[in-house]
Amino acid sequence: MLQEGERLFLRNCANCHGYTGQGDGPSRGSLIAPPANLTRDPISSYPDGRLFLAIRFGKRVDGRLTMPPVLKMTDEEIWMTVAYLRELALQVH
């Protein structure tokens, strides 16, 4: 499950959030808001459900979409990605 979560993360999230989830992805400079570091608070302390919803529906700040929803992932794939994010936070710190 973690290997699949890693694969999904690298395919869907790493371009913005970086390969280690620290917000340093190759596309970060072209975004309207800097990508979150997923391995530190406050993001790493969010409940799993909040992470799931952010991935599924995206993230808005001041009415602006700062992270698009990931519509091409199934709910199961999102949960695998959330599980991988938990592991990634442990590995980085």
Side-chain angles (χ1 to χ4, degrees), residues 10-11 14-15 25 28 36 50 58 71:
L10 292 173
R11 185 175 57 177
N15 199 40
R28 72 184 175 277
R50 184 170 179 181
L71 303 174

Side-chain angles (χ1 to χ4, degrees), residues 22-43:
Q22 296 179 43
D24 59 352
S27 293
R28 72 184 175 277
S30 64
L31 303 172
I32 62 171
N37 181 335
L38 304 173
T39 67
R40 294 187 174 266
D41 284 339
I43 307 298

Side-chain angles (χ1 to χ4, degrees), residues 1-10 77 80-81 84:
M1 180 166 128
L2 285 177
Q3 284 183 324
E4 181 64 10
E6 178 181 22
R7 185 186 70 77
L8 291 161
F9 175 83
L10 292 173
E77 289 173 327
M80 285 188 269
T81 303
Y84 176 71

